[in-house]
Amino acid sequence: MISEGQGPSAGRRLSGRIVAATHNVGKLREIQELLGLYRVDAIGAGCLGLNEPEETGFTFSDNAVLKAEAAARAAGEAALADDSGLCVAALGGAPGVHSARWAGEARDFAGAMARIEEELLSAGAPRPWRAHFISALALAWPDGRTDVFEGRVDGELVFPPRGSRGFGYDPIFRPDGHSRTFGEMFAEEKHGLPSDGSLALSHRARAFQKLARRFLQF
Ligand code: IMP
């Protein structure tokens, strides 16, 4: 359910419930945590029996739009999709939009993290190994309009992986200005959403801040 004001996007507000166009439980949890701050519920696409469209885009934004619009069309409700990934500077930005694919069908992130280390070592990449996470959030409205917001966080890769919190590549990513990896942080610390409106920490929370300024209210 969405309450929309008059006119184009400026008057739109999200409230009630939204579809989270993801089958990734780690991502769904983070989207629910972020929207929950504004008392908006997110129901996962999997719970609604929606299919996952193939991610054929070349950019994070392309893929986020593709997923959000497919879910909004199928559900007839507003849908929010995140397309995100880890970009390693010395690997030319890989795994990037292929971050999920590097873990394979079995979602073997230990293997994907080991592959990153192996490729960096065999390339003789000098340390520190710089990397960043990107999140593109696409919000597709039932009337066909879609809004996109991007967030990025920079940091260094650490091996061996540290911490068992979070998901995906969290245990090897240490954001700049912090001594702990995302995998060692509690959820609120990883989001790092300050109450004074200054910059959040994670890529997803940074993209979410932009979305919240436009479409959410306390
Ligand atoms: P996709 O957006 O569904 O294509 O998948 C993105 C993939 O990037 C996830 O499966 C994770 O492997 C990785 N990723 C995205 N965001 C994060 C994060 O916040 N922490 C750790 N890994 C992430």
Side-chain angles (χ1 to χ4, degrees):
M1 273 159 273
I2 303 155
S3 61
E4 288 183 29
Q6 320 279 291
S9 83
R12 292 174 189 237
R13 284 283 175 273
L14 273 178
S15 63
R17 180 182 104 161
I18 187 169
V19 177
T22 182
H23 289 69
N24 177 324
V25 287
K27 234 193 238 185
L28 175 62
R29 189 178 55 239
E30 292 199 358
I31 289 172
Q32 286 170 328
E33 287 161 0
L34 291 166
L35 286 169
L37 300 171
Y38 294 83
R39 296 178 313 282
V40 173
D41 291 331
I43 180 158
C47 298
L48 294 177
L50 305 182
N51 291 329
E52 264 186 301
E54 210 187 319
E55 296 183 17
T56 51
F58 291 106
T59 66
F60 293 107
S61 293
D62 289 345
N63 283 331
V65 168
L66 192 144
K67 290 187 278 189
E69 291 185 345
R73 258 195 318 272
E77 291 183 47
L80 179 66
D82 162 289
D83 199 75
S84 46
L86 179 70
C87 305
V88 181
L91 300 182
V97 291
H98 303 298
S99 293
R101 261 168 267 177
W102 275 34
E105 298 249 316
R107 304 205 178 210
D108 172 16
F109 283 98
M113 291 187 281
R115 175 173 168 193
I116 289 178
E117 184 179 23
E118 279 156 28
E119 294 205 6
L120 285 166
L121 290 172
S122 63
R127 292 169 202 255
W129 290 334
R130 300 288 303 164
H132 61 268
F133 272 119
I134 299 240
S135 162
L137 287 180
L139 175 57
W141 302 86
D143 65 4
R145 186 197 163 88
T146 303
D147 293 285
V148 187
F149 306 89
E150 271 203 18
R152 167 179 172 148
V153 59
D154 287 83
E156 286 178 17
L157 299 183
V158 300
F159 292 96
R162 296 191 336 225
S164 55
R165 299 197 180 98
F167 67 100
Y169 298 92
D170 278 342
I172 56 169
F173 186 80
R174 188 179 59 68
D176 289 341
H178 293 259
S179 56
R180 309 201 304 161
T181 66
F182 273 168
E184 294 173 300
M185 294 184 183
F186 287 103
E188 309 77 59
E189 207 178 342
K190 177 180 171 187
H191 299 318
L193 269 173
S195 51
D196 64 2
S198 54
L199 193 63
L201 179 58
S202 79
H203 49 311
R204 190 162 295 103
R206 286 179 177 178
F208 184 78
Q209 263 182 327
K210 295 180 186 171
L211 179 150
R213 276 187 210 117
R214 282 263 307 272
F215 296 120
L216 292 164
Q217 60 193 5
F218 279 114

